[in-house]
Amino acid sequence: MHGISGRRLLLTDEAIAQAALDAGIGGAYAYPGTPSTEILEYIQQAPEARERGVHRLWSVNEKTALEEGLGHSYAGRRALVAMKHVGLNVAADPFVNAAITGVNGGLVLVVADDPSMHSSQNEQDSRFYAGFAGIPLLEPATQQEAYEMTRAAFDWSEQWKIPILIRIVTRLAHSRADVVTTPPIEPVRLELPQDPRQFVLLPANARRNYERLLDQQAVFQAHSEASPYNVRTGGRRRDRGVIAAGIAYNYLMEAFTDTGECPWPVLAIREYPLPAAAIARLAADVDSLLILEEGAPLIESRLRGLLPGGKPIHGRMDGTLPRSGELTPDGVSAALGLGRPKPAPVPTVVRPRPPMLCAGCPHADTYRFLKEFMADHPAGRVFADIGCYTLGALPPFEAISSCVDMGASITMAKGAADAGLTPAIAVIGDSTFTHSGLTGLLDAVMENTSMTVLILDNETTGMTGCQTSPATGRLERIIAGLGVDAAHLRVVIPLSKNHDKNLQVLREEAAYPGISVIISRRVCLQAVPKG
Ligand SMILES: Cc1ncc(C[n+]2csc(CCOP(=O)(O)OP(=O)(O)O)c2C)c(N)n1
Ligand code: SF4
C-alpha cells in the first residue's frame, strides 16, 4: 500500500523506499539481491513514483547503479541506490571515489547485509566500508527508524555534500511494522555543481577533495557524538555496560520484556563514525563492557585493549557470543548471564528440505545434457556462477565445481583452460552474464581461449524474483559484439525432446579449440505470463 502520508505496515525495505520517495528523489537505481530487492520493487510500483516521474531502474550491476546515482546527484537531483552487501564489492570503486568527489543532490546508498548467509556467499559487514571511505553510516534498529533515518540522510547528504550509507540486515529488511510517515516534500532540483573541479579526480583535484573529506571527519564525529540515534539509557548496576549497535538493541531488550528496562547502562549506536566520547564515558562508569553488534566485531575490535585499566570487553571475539552468524535473542540472553530459555519445539508441519529447481525448470534440461557430456570427460570441469542454476551443485545433478562470485564462472574457466584443463566449461545465467560475465568473455575472445560458455538464458533474473534481465532480446548481438565467431555461437532449446541434439551441439563446441558460446534458452516458469 502506498499513500501520501500517514501510518502504514511496511517492511524495512519498503519503509526506506517510501522515505526516499517522500524525500523527493528523482531516481532510484539498484541491482537485485536478497535482502535488498524489495526496495526498488516498491518504488517501481509506487503510484507517486509514476506521478512524479521518478526514474527507477534495475541497473546492469551495482557499479553501474551507483554511478548512475552519482550522475543523478551531479545533475542536482536526489538519488537512492540499493544493493546487497556483496554488491558493494562490485561497486567499491565508485563508492570510495564518490566520497572524494562528494555529491550535489543528496545521494543515499542502502546496503543490506546477510549475516548467517541465508542467501549469500559470505556475511561481510558493510560498516567497514563506510569507515574505509570516510563517510557517515546509519544503522537503523526498527522500521520507523529506517524511515526517519532515510529522510534525514538525504538532508545530511546535501548539507555535507557527501554520500551517506545506510546498513540494514536480513531480519530487519524482511520484517514488517507500522510506520508513521511524514508529509512528502517536492522533488528536489538543485543547480549543477558550482565547482567545475569537484567531480574531476585528476590528482591535483583529488588531493584537494581528499583534504576536504579528512577535514569533514571532525564534523561527522561531532554529529555522531550528539546524535539522537546514539543514546545512552538507564541502568543502576555498574558491573557492566552494554553497547548495542543497530538491530542488536532489539535482541537486548527482548531479554527484559517483563520490565522494559535493562539493569545495566546501555549505549545504543545507530550512527557512525563511532561516538568515541560517549563510549569512553560509558567505559569509565562500568567495570566491563558487553558489545552486541550484528555481523563482524567491528566495535569490539576497535575497543579491545584500549580501555583504561584493562577493563574486560566481552562480545564475539572472546566467545561470549558466537564469532559468526546472526545474533539471536537467546544468544544475547545467555551472554548477559540470564540463561537460555528452553528452545521452542520444532514444528513438524514444515519439514526442512534442500532447495531445488522448480519442476520443469529449463536449467534441469540443460544440466541433463551437460552431465551426460561431462561423464565422458572426467578430466574436464564445469565452472558455474550464481543464480537458480547454482542448484546444479546438489543432487541429482552434482554437475558443477565452482560458484564464487558473479561472473567468476567465465574467468575461472578461462584461467583453468590457460592452465591446460580441458574441456573447460563455464555455466552462467543471462542476468549474471550481463552483470559481470561480459568482460571475462572478452578476455577469452582476446586469446581465443579453448573453452565453452553455456549461457542459461531464462530471459529473467530468476533467483531474486524475476526482475527484468538486461540480456533479454539482445544477447546474441552482445556476444557477437564482443567478437565471438558467429560459427561458434549456438542457440539450443533445453527441452527433453531436444536432449540428443543439444548434447551433440555441446560435443561439437567443446571440441572446437577456441572460444565458443552456447545459449540454452527457455523462459523461466515463474516468468511465463500467467492467465
Ligand atoms: C554481487 C551480487 N549481486 C547480486 C547478487 C544476488 N544474485 C544472485 S544470482 C543473481 C542473478 C541471477 O539471475 P540469472 O543469472 O539470470 O540466473 P537465474 O537465477 O535466472 O537462473 C542475483 C541478482 C549476488 N549474489 N551478488
Ligand atoms: S525460478 Fe525459474 S529459473 Fe529458478 S528454478 Fe524456478 S523455473 Fe528455474
Side-chain angles (χ1 to χ4, degrees), residues 356-358 360-363 388 391 458 460 462-463 466 524-527:
M356 55 207 297
L357 295 171
C358 303
C361 173
H363 298 337
C388 286
L391 295 175
N458 57 5
T460 194
M463 192 184 189
C466 294
C524 162
L525 299 181
Q526 304 301 331

Side-chain angles (χ1 to χ4, degrees), residues 53-383:
V54 173
H55 198 97
R56 40 206 197 278
L57 177 72
W58 285 121
S59 302
V60 166
N61 65 34
E62 294 85 354
K63 178 175 185 286
T64 64
L66 184 50
E67 289 160 351
E68 283 150 3
L70 188 62
H72 212 73
S73 155
Y74 179 98
R77 307 296 308 274
R78 290 185 166 186
L80 180 76
V81 178
M83 59 192 64
K84 69 181 289 167
H85 61 326
V86 282
L88 190 48
N89 299 334
V90 177
D93 202 2
F95 175 72
V96 174
N97 290 318
I100 299 179
T101 60
V103 306
N104 186 28
L107 179 61
V108 175
L109 169 62
V110 183
V111 178
D113 289 0
D114 188 19
S116 280
M117 304 179 230
H118 295 286
S119 35
S120 308
Q121 316 94 287
N122 72 33
E123 60 170 30
Q124 68 187 53
D125 187 329
S126 299
R127 292 178 300 164
F128 286 100
Y129 266 110
F132 183 50
I135 67 168
L137 168 84
L138 299 172
E139 195 187 7
T142 64
Q143 290 71 14
Q144 185 67 43
E145 275 181 8
Y147 178 85
E148 290 168 13
M149 284 178 167
T150 306
R151 290 212 59 171
F154 278 104
D155 296 337
W156 297 344
S157 172
E158 260 158 37
Q159 181 188 335
W160 295 325
K161 296 276 166 224
I162 199 84
I164 307 264
L165 182 62
I166 297 180
R167 181 233 191 187
I168 54 175
V169 294
T170 306
R171 296 275 160 196
L172 189 65
H174 283 172
S175 54
R176 236 173 246 286
D178 245 9
V179 174
V180 177
T181 61
T182 42
I185 59 167
E186 285 298 309
V188 172
R189 292 172 199 276
L190 304 179
E191 300 289 317
L192 291 179
Q194 302 297 303
D195 175 2
R197 295 182 301 165
Q198 181 186 343
F199 287 85
V200 185
L201 292 187
L202 282 168
N205 299 345
R207 280 185 213 112
R208 184 202 63 156
N209 287 9
Y210 188 49
E211 289 303 324
R212 175 182 172 273
L213 177 65
L214 294 179
D215 289 346
Q216 281 183 303
Q217 299 305 307
V219 176
F220 304 154
Q221 186 68 49
H223 195 271
S224 173
E225 297 288 357
S227 171
Y229 297 125
N230 292 337
V231 219
R232 170 137 168 209
T233 46
R236 285 157 283 109
R237 290 177 61 173
R238 287 291 177 266
D239 51 316
R240 130 192 325 151
V242 184
I243 292 179
I247 194 177
Y249 182 78
N250 305 355
Y251 297 134
L252 171 69
M253 295 315 290
E254 273 202 39
F256 306 106
T257 39
D258 44 351
T259 59
E261 213 183 307
C262 174
W264 298 280
V266 179
L267 177 61
I269 296 184
R270 292 159 201 162
E271 181 178 338
Y272 301 68
L274 281 176
I279 293 174
R281 283 195 298 274
L282 175 67
D285 289 350
V286 295
D287 301 336
S288 68
L289 279 182
L290 173 66
I291 319 277
L292 306 175
E293 52 190 327
E294 191 62 289
L298 178 146
I299 301 175
E300 191 181 341
S301 61
R302 295 253 173 94
L303 300 186
R304 196 159 278 285
L306 296 181
L307 290 195
K311 287 183 186 176
I313 296 179
H314 303 292
R316 286 183 181 272
M317 292 173 78
D318 72 342
T320 303
L321 287 154
R323 176 63 184 79
S324 64
E326 288 178 302
L327 293 176
T328 62
D330 288 359
V332 169
S333 186
L336 290 163
L338 301 177
R340 211 176 272 270
K342 278 206 187 89
V346 179
T348 47
V349 192
V350 181
R351 289 190 192 284
R353 62 177 172 86
M356 55 207 297
L357 295 171
C358 303
C361 173
H363 298 337
D365 286 296
T366 303
Y367 276 125
R368 279 187 202 106
F369 72 79
L370 175 61
K371 202 170 175 192
E372 190 170 333
F373 170 80
M374 293 308 292
D376 294 337
H377 299 85
R381 287 292 181 272
V382 175
F383 299 89

Side-chain angles (χ1 to χ4, degrees), residues 31-34 62 84 86-88 90 119-121 363 385-390 405-406 428-433 435 456 458-464 467 469 524:
Y31 184 74
T34 310
E62 294 85 354
K84 69 181 289 167
V86 282
L88 190 48
V90 177
S119 35
S120 308
Q121 316 94 287
H363 298 337
D385 227 299
I386 309 184
C388 286
Y389 52 92
T390 313
D405 62 74
M406 289 187 77
I428 187 167
D430 51 308
S431 183
T432 304
F433 176 70
H435 178 283
L456 275 47
N458 57 5
E459 302 187 318
T460 194
T461 311
M463 192 184 189
T464 44
Q467 295 77 23
S469 167
C524 162

